[in-house]
Amino acid sequence: MYKFFITLRYLRSRKISFFAVAGVAVGVMTLIVVLSVMNGFDQELRSRIRGTLTHIIITKGGMYGLENYTQVMEKVKATEHVSSCAPFVEGPALIKIRGRKEFVYFKGINPVEEATVGDFKAFLSPFRKEPEDLQKTHGENQTASAFCGIELLRVSPGDPETDPISFVQEGEQIVLVTLKNWDKISVKAFVIEGTFKSGMYDYDKNYVYIPLAAAQELTGIKERDAVSGISVKLHDYRYANEVRDKLQSSLGFEYYVQTWEDARRTFLTAVMLERRVMAFILFFIIVVAGFNILAILTMIVLEKSKDIGILKALGATTQGIMSIFLLNGLFIGSIGSCVGAAIGFSVVLRINWLESILYNMTGWRPFPPEVYYFDQIPTVIKPASIMITIFIAILSSVIFSIYPAIRAARLDPVETLRYE
């Protein structure tokens, strides 16, 4: 029992111990905040990428090589766990919009079917549009409609609700230029029927939705009634790999069947690697706090050598002296971890409020929406990673207290008391 009381006395009497606790607290707090924000970014990015694609994508050799797509769709719909599917024609094009020319991707879709496999309807809802509006035609020439990404229509900085003049307006004409049958130039005009916003800057800047029939006519595959691929939605994404393998086996090797994660594997791997590297780098804050503990406890051993000699003379064992300083490290790590976790949770829960205060005071935003394309900083608290962080902090505190504990235990009481 004496070990516990002596440990508490050393912690209370030495104000410098509070700096050791603060070091651990700062390390734990930083790890919790950064990991929560990184997990939030990862989850939000996955959600938005998943919305722009679909659960499973089926393509065939060549950009417009899927000719028997109606038969393939029937086979896909009969597969277990499949909810719906929709054909699409996708390809690169040069767009002329208000005199400026840019490279974009067009996506020809059946809007009703497309709304059942992804978030297409949700992309249109902020602008009070419905998927069926894409099927409208305009004027005597029956010009087809188009939905353009919000960033593609941007003319100057501004918000579409409060500053509509900063965007190309509905009813204006655009022209798409692409290859037809790989050896001719195809040019077709469209009328902007509406705007969409997916939440992914690259997608909103570089994509145009047009009707499926118009896309087939633009690319010269209308006679063959071919498409680029088929989007598939499942009842439950947990079965994605199972359904992918089953479809690949039933359709044959000439078809390419992949999940949205397969299609964006490089990007998702880069995000995951960045999160792990960030956690590894920030872990060294806890290591620095550990060296701080080692230095402080070593200094306490030197200052309290007389006390240690008296304890040994009174019958304290070597293990008992070691336990005092190991308990010091344990208490410093435990208190610092609890304080750091409490502050970290508070920061994570109020991080958007803190950012707004910082922005109002300084005009600077750590996470500007125009760069990261998030209205708020996304955060996700994972209990498992928090527990691991706290455990590592406490364990490292104990490990760094081993050296001063051994040094204290090896003190000779006779020599110590003689020279003191």
Side-chain angles (χ1 to χ4, degrees), residues 46 49 53-57 237 240-242 244-245 248 256-269:
R46 283 175 170 270
I49 293 173
L53 296 173
T54 186
H55 290 166
I56 291 178
I57 305 160
Y237 185 72
N241 291 337
E242 176 187 334
R244 177 198 60 194
D245 296 340
Q248 186 69 73
Y256 301 99
V257 184
Q258 55 185 348
T259 66
W260 72 271
E261 290 180 300
D262 295 331
R264 295 292 184 270
R265 185 171 300 281
T266 302
F267 177 76
L268 295 176
T269 302

Side-chain angles (χ1 to χ4, degrees), residues 47-54 107 119 123 198 200 203 209:
S47 175
R48 295 190 180 190
I49 293 173
R50 191 166 170 172
T52 58
L53 296 173
T54 186
K107 188 170 185 178
D119 295 339
F123 295 167
S198 69
M200 292 292 293
Y203 201 84
Y209 283 106

Side-chain angles (χ1 to χ4, degrees), residues 200-225:
M200 292 292 293
Y201 179 84
D202 287 345
Y203 201 84
D204 294 343
K205 176 66 176 176
N206 298 307
Y207 266 83
V208 177
Y209 283 106
I210 59 177
L212 182 66
Q216 289 177 317
E217 183 179 343
L218 182 67
T219 55
I221 59 173
K222 190 173 181 62
E223 296 77 12
R224 296 187 288 126
D225 195 25

Side-chain angles (χ1 to χ4, degrees), residues 27-37 337 340-345 348 380-381 385-386 389-390:
V28 172
M29 179 202 70
T30 305
L31 270 172
I32 288 176
V33 173
V34 172
L35 288 179
S36 297
V37 172
S337 297
I343 298 174
F345 284 131
V348 170
V380 173
I381 298 175
S385 63
I386 303 304
T389 300
I390 292 174

